[in-house]
Amino acid sequence: MVGDTTSVLPDGHRYENRVMQRMKLRWGRVTAIETLEDLQNLQRALLVVAAAGRPEAIAPPIED
């Protein structure tokens, strides 16, 4: 799957990124997901969101 994601950041700038996901299926169930996107672009956007009062935007990832 390839898709574009867009949003308006709290500072008024527009965020755009292209995302590709590849999913591995086994017996009709998703067993793995690989996501590719411009992580530097995403990081810049998350820093703007965190600076606007949403610190969870830069919180460590949730791990199982």
Side-chain angles (χ1 to χ4, degrees):
M1 174 193 94
V2 176
D4 295 318
T5 182
T6 62
S7 182
V8 177
L9 298 173
D11 67 358
H13 286 90
R14 186 171 177 83
Y15 169 74
E16 297 179 2
N17 210 342
R18 173 148 292 187
V19 178
M20 186 192 90
Q21 282 191 323
R22 184 171 65 175
M23 297 182 193
K24 186 175 183 179
L25 300 172
R26 184 174 181 140
W27 293 101
R29 293 181 182 233
V30 176
T31 59
I33 300 174
E34 181 180 5
T35 303
L36 301 172
E37 64 183 299
D38 182 344
L39 294 178
Q40 289 179 336
N41 188 16
L42 176 60
Q43 182 180 24
R44 285 190 296 270
L46 291 174
L47 289 172
V48 170
V49 173
R54 303 292 303 260
E56 64 272 18
I58 56 172
I62 298 171
E63 297 185 20
D64 300 8

